[in-house]
Amino acid sequence: MSDRIHLHLLSDSTGETLEMLAKAALAQFDDADVVRHFWPMVRSKQHLDRIVPELKSNPGLVLFTLVNPEARARLEEVCAQNGLPAVPILDRVTEALEKALGQEAHGRPGRQHQMDKAYFDRVEAIQFTIAHDDGIGWENWEEADIVLAGVSRSSKTPTSIYLANRGYKVANIPLVVESPPPPKLFELKSPMVVGLTTAPERLVQIRRNRLLTLNEKSETSYVDNERVKSEVAFARRMFADNGWPVIDVTRRSIEETAAAVIRLFGEREQSEDTAFEGAKPI
């Protein structure tokens, strides 16, 4: 086999789902040399015919999500003629759902992106989250679904944005030893407050990198080992004193942290008693 492969991704919509699945699969392979060719919004045989020369000149694996019968038949024909493996990545899932639900799939391209109530709820969540980043707008925190608390550079903002894209209204607050958070944080009834913590050593490394990107002094109290340990301990005491669940983000990606938050939120929603009793490191 060649050291390099061409991967063609053809979608009749934005291709977001296709890209995510391809990325997840490729993550299972070390040092894979893959040249990606991305073809979104392919909704007709004519559009596909314009792509065919590229498929022929760069033969490789073809992954597709096409529901238009003509476009799909043409793609399968071209791949068969040129010996290109073609994988309709959603077929097995769709077939299983048809069997389980007892009905046929509609076959509408991009239907998951339709502007329904869920879409506008997600837009509203994103707007709320951006407006309540880094301690801003604390007067409206009661309207949030989730409030993330943690010291500086504990991934509060990117986790908040990721959760907002999943439809959750999120506010976040940096915990600073010299500047206590607003009393409102300790009076919240509806939102779930989650504490984010991390290993001090890792936090120092992240902060040093941050200072480098800003061309600022690399030796300040912001990256002092003892100082950072004190900050993390201060935050952990606050989490425990208020019975907030705690997530250690040291070795977690943003996606993994968000998944842990969503799991906690789901457990809270299912529970008859929405109060947490004691910190719950996970």
Side-chain angles (χ1 to χ4, degrees):
M1 292 182 63
S2 171
D3 293 332
R4 168 177 290 189
I5 69 165
H6 290 272
L7 180 63
H8 295 273
L9 307 176
L10 287 85
S11 171
D12 50 24
S13 186
T14 63
E16 179 183 356
T17 301
L18 188 57
E19 279 199 301
M20 288 177 62
L21 287 169
K23 182 178 179 181
L26 285 171
Q28 305 301 315
F29 301 90
D30 296 327
D31 303 320
D33 187 2
V34 178
V35 180
R36 302 189 198 192
H37 304 267
F38 184 46
W39 313 101
M41 308 303 291
V42 181
R43 296 187 174 180
S44 68
K45 179 177 176 293
Q46 291 73 22
H47 188 171
L48 182 59
D49 282 338
R50 294 197 295 270
I51 299 172
V52 169
E54 289 291 332
L55 296 177
K56 292 181 178 179
S57 60
N58 297 291
L61 175 62
V62 177
L63 306 181
F64 67 91
T65 53
L66 301 177
V67 296
N68 179 281
E70 283 191 345
R72 178 171 176 144
R74 173 60 175 153
L75 176 62
E76 291 174 337
E77 177 188 0
V78 169
C79 289
Q81 290 174 348
N82 293 273
L84 305 178
V87 182
I89 64 170
L90 291 182
D91 277 23
R92 293 290 296 276
V93 177
T94 303
E95 289 167 5
L97 285 171
E98 286 180 332
K99 185 176 181 180
L101 296 172
Q103 58 177 292
E104 290 188 5
H106 292 292
R108 300 176 192 168
R111 195 165 190 238
Q112 71 271 35
H113 300 297
Q114 64 183 345
M115 291 190 288
D116 54 8
K117 182 179 182 299
Y119 173 85
F120 289 107
D121 286 346
R122 190 164 68 253
V123 171
E124 183 181 354
I126 293 171
Q127 293 174 334
F128 179 93
T129 300
I130 292 173
H132 295 83
D133 181 42
D134 205 33
I136 298 173
W138 59 265
E139 303 90 346
N140 304 317
W141 281 355
E142 195 62 49
E143 300 173 20
D145 298 309
I146 299 163
V147 176
L148 301 180
V151 299
S152 174
R153 312 312 296 177
S154 55
S155 73
K156 299 182 300 300
T157 295
T159 303
S160 296
I161 297 299
Y162 187 93
L163 288 166
N165 276 280
R166 297 290 298 274
Y168 297 91
K169 292 182 179 179
V170 186
N172 74 76
I173 173 73
L175 300 180
V176 182
V177 176
E178 298 84 2
S179 179
K184 182 70 173 180
L185 178 63
F186 309 104
E187 301 168 359
L188 296 174
K189 303 298 182 184
S190 178
M192 179 182 72
V193 182
V194 178
L196 302 184
T197 190
T198 187
E201 299 79 11
R202 175 61 174 160
L203 188 56
V204 168
Q205 181 183 0
I206 293 172
R207 289 184 176 184
R208 284 189 186 279
N209 291 337
R210 175 63 173 168
L211 291 178
L212 285 174
T213 61
L214 297 175
N215 292 319
E216 296 187 4
K217 291 190 301 182
S218 59
E219 295 303 326
T220 68
S221 61
Y222 186 62
V223 293
D224 179 76
N225 287 319
E226 295 304 316
R227 168 70 181 181
V228 172
K229 287 180 182 178
S230 177
E231 283 186 60
V232 173
F234 166 76
R236 279 189 169 277
R237 283 195 301 272
M238 184 181 295
F239 302 154
D241 289 346
N242 291 278
W244 297 332
V246 180
I247 297 175
D248 189 332
V249 304
T250 305
R251 299 185 182 280
R252 293 179 190 260
S253 65
I254 299 302
E255 295 85 353
E256 290 170 329
T257 299
V261 173
I262 292 171
R263 178 171 64 80
L264 285 170
F265 189 81
E267 291 174 355
R268 181 180 190 262
E269 291 290 287
Q270 293 173 7
S271 174
E272 293 183 358
D273 180 8
T274 59
F276 286 92
E277 299 180 0
K280 302 177 181 178
I282 61 175

